[in-house]
Every structure is written in C-alpha cells, then in structure tokens.
Amino acid sequence: MSSRPSLTLIGGGLVGALLAQQLARRGFTVDVFEKRPDPRVAGFAGGRSINLALAERGLQALRSAGLAEDVLRHAVMMRGRMVHTVDGRSGLQRYGVDDSEVIWSVSRGGLNMLLLDAAERAGVRFHFGQGLVGTDFDARRMRVADASGTEREVDAPVLIGADGAGSALRATMNAYRPLGERTEWLGHGYKELEIPPASQLDAALLRDSGGHDQFAIEPHALHIWPRGGYMCIALPNTEGSFTVTLFLPAQGPHPSFATLPDARAAEAFFREDFADLLPLLPRFAEDYEAHPVGTLATLYLERWHLDGRALLVGDAAHAIVPFHGQGMN
Ligand SMILES: Cc1cc2nc3c(=O)[nH]c(=O)nc-3n(C[C@H](O)[C@H](O)[C@H](O)COP(=O)(O)OP(=O)(O)OC[C@H]3O[C@@H](n4cnc5c(N)ncnc54)[C@H](O)[C@@H]3O)c2cc1C
C-alpha cells in the first residue's frame, strides 16, 4: 500500500492524464474523474483530426514521462512557417538552423489517448463520464454527475483541477475563497476547416506538395495566410489532411464572424482574401456551417491553490491564447 496521500484529479485531458501518470509513478494513489466518456472506447469528441503544435517544452515533459519517442512516431515535423501572401506566393521561414530545431504537429485525440494509456499503466484509476459539479472543502468531499445528471458524493481530501479553461473546480474554489480571477477576452474567435488528403482533391490543384503525394500542400510546415488583423493557419495530419483554423474578430466591421454569418458570405470573402486556399477546402460550406466559433482568452489568477485542499493546473490555472504554440506546451 502507498504511504503517500490519495489524490483526486478532475479532468483527464492533456495535462490531467500526464500529471496523473507522473504522480502515480511517484507513489501516489491517483483517481481521475473525467466528464467525457473514455475516448479510447467512444472515439475522441468530434472524431475529426484536430492537431496541436508540439514544441521543445512539451517534448521535455513527454521525455520525463518516457513518452516522447511514442508521440514523435505519430507526429509530422514542421520545419518552419510557410507564409502564403494574398497574391498566391509562398515561402518557408525556418524555425531553426536545421532539422534539429523544429516543431511537430500532433493529433490532440491521439496524444490524449496515449497519455491515458500511460497513466493507466502507472496505476491511475479513471472514472469516465463523471463530471465535477460541486465541492464541500470543509468536509473534504465532492459531488460528481454522470451524463444523465445522476449525482453522487465522493471523498476527496486533496483535489487537483486539470479541467480546462472553464474549470468547474476553479469556480467552486473561487466561491469558497476568491482566487483573484481575471479573464482577458481576445475579441477574436476561431473556426476549424479541413484540407483533405490529396487523393480527395482535383489533381490540377496539387502544385505545392513538395513531392509528398499524400498531401495537397507541403506537409513539413506550419502554413499561415496572414492578413493583418486576421489569418488562416493549417497544420498537417499524418493521414494526409490539414486542419485549417480561421481566426477573425468575433464582432465589428467586415471581416468578422458577425459579418460572415453563413457559408455563402464566408465563401465570397475567402475568394477575395484566401483565393489559393479555398479550392483546397471542398467541404468549406459544410464545415463553416457545422463548426462552432470558438472563443479565445487569457486567464489570470492571484492564487492557484486552497491551502492543501485544492490546486489548479494547466488551462484551469492559466489558459492562454495559442498563437505562440502555447498552452499544452
Ligand atoms: C484553437 C486552439 C489551438 C491550440 N493550439 C495549441 C498548440 O498548437 N500548442 C499548444 O501548446 N497549445 C495549444 N492550445 C492550447 C491547448 O489546447 C491547451 O493549453 C491544453 O489543451 C490544456 O490542457 P488541459 O488538460 O489543461 O485542458 P483541456 O485540454 O481543456 O482538458 C480538460 C479536460 O477536463 C475535462 N473536464 C472539463 N470539465 C470537467 C468537469 N467538470 N469534471 C471532470 N472533467 C472535466 C474535459 O472533458 C477535458 O478532458 C490551443 C488551444 C486552442 C483553443
């Protein structure tokens, strides 16, 4: 039996799963309550390829968990940013001097599942489909609810919140004793679109893949279509597609998500501003209509803990806008 205290983590995302593994390897008894179902059984939420830029800081964390090699086997190297100008020209700006100084595109779902497997191997117990809904810090207990809303109480002497930017644990800590919380909204939103593998596109469009037949454009780059106050980016996925993210002001004069309420308006805008990208997005209208506009904010707290009873980590503690490949890293 472990002599270390028993820890309850809320959230089995990127930070929760990695931290759980690390704590279990140090001899703690760790239980993780995750609101969503097990992605290894139910499929990762959304089912689409959503990817992240993994850089040296994130890799260092994965190395310490013994997982860097595994992750890199399923990652696509990005040597630099490929900048696409409005007149259709493009050029690569390298991140470093050679291929030892690069970043990597990794699947969020794939990475999360690998971290869950590693945590389980280290002895962590996961309780999927169980979301935190309330805490009693004096009694050192919490309430969790399943997908049907059925609630139960659980002992939780030490709580660690890795439940993301909208953290439920943070809300209950803040209600018990204010954390000095401040959120700075960026004012820009984002929407995800997709460039499919080359085989699903008209061959006449495939000019720039640098000889990589599976991909419509150069795979070993983080593509950016910068346009001043807004932009598109695209990160490669191992199966040949790219996840494209459109960043635009949420409100205000054209162009903003408010002035582009539907796919028709958005397509006309893309024809002007992203003329070389639009033909690579055959499901533009479906994706634009179906995918929500996400919000972006930076979260500041004066305190991340409640004297030995609760602690916040990851986005729950310090969510940040992702433009410098930050957050997960
Ligand atoms: C568009 C976008 C692009 C990004 N790109 C990058 C990038 O390229 N590189 C990078 O480093 N970072 C990037 N980030 C940031 C990165 O996604 C986050 O920093 C990272 O996911 C934080 O991990 P986390 O585990 O703290 O939170 P999350 O990944 O949000 O995980 C939180 C987990 O907690 C669970 N949960 C939520 N509420 C409850 C509850 N009440 N009870 C139990 N469980 C709960 C959720 O289901 C989830 O599994 C990006 C973010 C966005 C929005």
Side-chain angles (χ1 to χ4, degrees):
M1 232 186 88
S2 164
S3 57
R4 298 248 170 137
S6 166
L7 302 173
T8 306
L9 255 86
I10 308 301
L14 301 176
V15 171
L18 177 63
L19 180 60
Q21 185 246 25
Q22 299 267 3
L23 291 169
R25 294 209 312 183
R26 283 165 177 70
F28 291 93
T29 302
V30 184
D31 284 274
V32 178
F33 290 79
E34 165 56 52
K35 185 162 74 175
R36 294 187 192 141
D38 187 343
R40 296 163 301 178
V41 179
F44 200 75
R48 295 176 306 126
S49 287
I50 301 289
N51 44 32
L52 297 157
L54 172 67
E56 183 52 29
R57 280 171 298 151
L59 264 177
Q60 185 54 29
L62 293 169
R63 274 187 211 110
S64 69
L67 298 170
E69 293 296 311
D70 267 8
V71 172
L72 290 184
R73 251 196 300 282
H74 305 286
V76 184
M77 181 201 286
M78 298 188 291
R79 295 190 168 101
R81 58 184 82 82
M82 180 76 80
V83 175
H84 300 261
T85 56
V86 76
D87 58 8
R89 285 176 298 134
S90 60
L92 181 73
Q93 300 172 1
R94 266 196 177 268
Y95 289 126
V97 290
D98 58 31
D99 283 357
S100 68
E101 296 178 344
V102 296
I103 61 172
W104 302 84
S105 177
V106 294
S107 146
R108 180 188 285 273
L111 177 59
N112 202 166
M113 291 190 261
L114 188 136
L115 292 169
L116 293 173
D117 283 342
E120 262 178 4
R121 280 199 303 275
V124 173
R125 287 188 304 233
F126 283 94
H127 309 268
F128 289 102
Q130 304 277 311
L132 178 89
V133 290
T135 48
D136 181 339
F137 291 114
D138 297 321
R140 299 203 165 210
R141 286 173 74 74
M142 66 171 184
R143 266 182 304 117
V144 292
D146 65 17
S148 72
T150 306
E151 295 189 7
R152 67 187 175 103
E153 282 208 8
V154 184
D155 283 334
V158 182
L159 275 161
I160 301 180
D163 49 346
S167 172
L169 180 62
R170 187 178 74 238
T172 69
M173 288 166 68
N174 199 39
Y176 186 83
R177 194 178 299 158
L179 297 168
E181 179 174 334
R182 182 167 61 86
T183 301
E184 241 172 47
W185 294 97
L186 184 66
H188 277 59
Y190 69 94
K191 195 183 270 280
E192 276 150 349
L193 307 164
E194 192 190 50
I195 300 174
S199 57
Q200 295 175 33
L201 288 165
D202 182 343
L205 297 169
L206 310 177
R207 290 169 275 116
D208 290 331
S209 70
H212 302 277
D213 293 346
Q214 208 187 343
F215 295 87
I217 50 177
E218 165 61 50
H220 294 296
L222 192 160
H223 293 266
I224 308 185
W225 289 260
R227 300 292 184 261
Y230 53 97
M231 66 173 169
C232 281
I233 66 168
L235 272 71
N237 297 306
T238 43
E239 78 275 12
S241 64
F242 290 79
T243 304
V244 177
T245 310
L246 164 67
F247 294 95
L248 265 185
Q251 302 293 333
H254 181 75
S256 69
F257 280 114
T259 67
L260 302 171
D262 54 39
R264 236 172 83 111
E267 201 165 321
F269 162 63
F270 265 62
R271 227 175 280 125
E272 290 292 314
D273 279 56
F274 303 107
D276 58 337
L277 175 58
L278 183 61
L280 303 175
L281 305 170
R283 290 189 294 276
F284 181 86
E286 293 96 305
D287 283 352
Y288 196 88
E289 298 285 351
H291 299 165
V293 176
T295 53
L296 297 164
T298 303
L299 168 74
Y300 301 88
L301 299 183
E302 279 166 24
R303 260 181 323 110
W304 294 331
H305 65 93
L306 187 63
D307 43 61
R309 286 180 275 185
L311 171 73
L312 299 168
V313 292
D315 274 16
H318 40 62
I320 192 166
V321 294
F323 297 117
H324 196 57
Q326 295 180 113
M328 169 194 70
N329 282 306

